[in-house]
Amino acid sequence: MSANDVVVAVDVGGTGMKCALVRPDGTVVRTERHPTGAERGPDAVVESILDIAAGLAGKARADGLNPVALGIAVPGVVDQAAGVAVWSANIGFRDVPLRDLAVARLGLPTALGHDVRVGGLAEARLGAGRGTGHVLFVAIGTGIAAAHVVDGSAAVGAHGAAGEFGHILVRPGGPLCGCGRPGCLEAVASAGAVARRYAELAGTAATAAEVADRAAAGESAARRVWAEAVEALADGLASVQALFDVETVVIGGGLAQAGPRLFDPLGAALHERMTFHREPRLVPAALGDEAGCLGAALLALDSLEK
Ligand SMILES: [Zn+2]
């Protein structure tokens, strides 16, 4: 690696793409945001990803920098080894060979990763999990997903689908999940689930953040909904801790914005559930919505070393 080397990183979300030029030490030298435009269909999104990445590589060269690799993060099911975006509900990817398409277009070594897994990679290596070898990164927003990162590498699973923490069964017979099964964690504790449950109980709409505020102010319906979400999250985390014995749990995504209103009761509920297991440290994510972009860059750098 030379002093002018940078990685082109693109984090593709359901509504927007966060893009950056990142140095090997994680320093960001340029950022850009673009709309995903998922309503145009997956082929158009792929074209945009390639155009934006090629544009960033060109801007890097114009600034005297040397783009050495491209990292792309996408949601859904990702076959990282094959470089294929297998499936995505919100963008419509079906078996898109994104890595090969990018290599053909840009001529740069390219790595394709899953948005939450690379976000976990970044939090574990550059963010809130830094310095600890065993990290669980949990993103709680409209859905819930996780990444298990050991010594700086995120487990991918046999089929590219590891880390679907939101679909751990925590409430048999409970609310129906988007995946079609009742009682998944995501159906109880995601930001969307909190808002839905509150509307059901209180008869009036509120976002998850507003529910957290109202619970803190003592409103009974909000307290009940918030407590249900926290208990379900603690059940899920206790299962994960039994399996993985992590040192640090990093929580990000919209629901983590509730700060102590989430972390204090969740820490207490998790503590109650520990028997002989060692209790993990619960910490808020540090990198915000840049985690996916930084993680895509790290993944690309890792792939160069192999
Ligand atoms: Zn589910």
Side-chain angles (χ1 to χ4, degrees):
M1 293 282 154
S2 88
N4 291 330
D5 288 349
V6 287
V7 177
V8 179
V10 180
D11 176 18
V12 183
T15 55
M17 297 193 224
K18 289 144 208 147
C19 319
L21 295 174
V22 184
R23 292 190 193 276
D25 65 0
T27 316
V28 174
V29 288
R30 171 192 278 272
T31 58
E32 288 183 5
R33 294 194 176 220
H34 300 271
T36 301
E39 70 285 350
R40 300 172 301 146
D43 293 346
V45 174
V46 168
E47 277 312 304
S48 295
I49 294 169
L50 300 179
D51 286 347
I52 290 163
L56 267 169
K59 287 168 193 169
R61 290 187 187 101
D63 288 343
L65 299 168
N66 176 36
V68 291
L70 167 64
I72 305 172
V74 295
V77 177
V78 180
D79 185 338
Q80 188 176 308
V84 173
V86 175
W87 181 89
S88 158
N90 47 9
I91 302 178
F93 291 143
R94 299 288 181 274
D95 294 318
V96 178
L98 204 43
R99 183 184 63 198
D100 289 350
L101 291 170
V103 169
R105 172 77 182 272
L106 278 82
L108 289 175
T110 300
L112 179 72
H114 177 263
D115 55 355
V116 175
R117 279 201 294 269
V118 300
L121 207 61
E123 284 289 349
R125 282 158 61 173
L126 304 170
R130 196 172 176 162
T132 64
H134 294 258
V135 175
L136 182 78
F137 172 64
V138 180
I140 312 175
T142 33
I144 298 179
H148 180 214
V149 185
V150 178
D151 296 334
S153 177
V156 167
H159 313 94
E164 292 289 355
F165 181 44
H167 302 282
I168 284 185
L169 180 62
V170 292
R171 295 291 178 267
L176 188 66
C177 179
C179 76
R181 187 178 67 175
C184 289
L185 177 60
E186 190 166 297
V188 182
S190 65
V194 166
R196 273 195 305 278
R197 178 75 171 134
Y198 181 79
E200 204 176 280
L201 281 182
T204 160
T207 64
E210 288 162 351
V211 174
D213 289 344
R214 291 177 193 186
E219 192 201 294
S220 66
R223 285 179 60 155
R224 180 166 161 198
V225 173
W226 195 248
E228 286 172 0
V230 165
E231 294 289 314
L233 277 171
D235 285 337
L237 286 176
S239 297
V240 169
Q241 186 62 358
L243 269 181
F244 296 141
D245 181 30
V246 300
E247 188 173 356
T248 307
V249 175
V250 178
I251 301 183
L255 213 70
Q257 305 292 323
R261 288 172 188 178
L262 175 67
F263 285 86
D264 291 353
L266 183 58
L270 185 59
H271 180 76
E272 277 174 14
R273 285 161 174 75
M274 297 289 103
T275 55
F276 62 91
H277 300 111
R278 296 290 293 273
E279 195 172 329
R281 204 163 57 98
L282 279 190
V283 294
L287 303 174
D289 67 0
E290 284 203 344
C293 207
L294 287 169
L298 291 175
L299 191 69
L301 285 165
D302 290 352
S303 71
L304 290 180
E305 283 165 14
K306 279 172 192 160

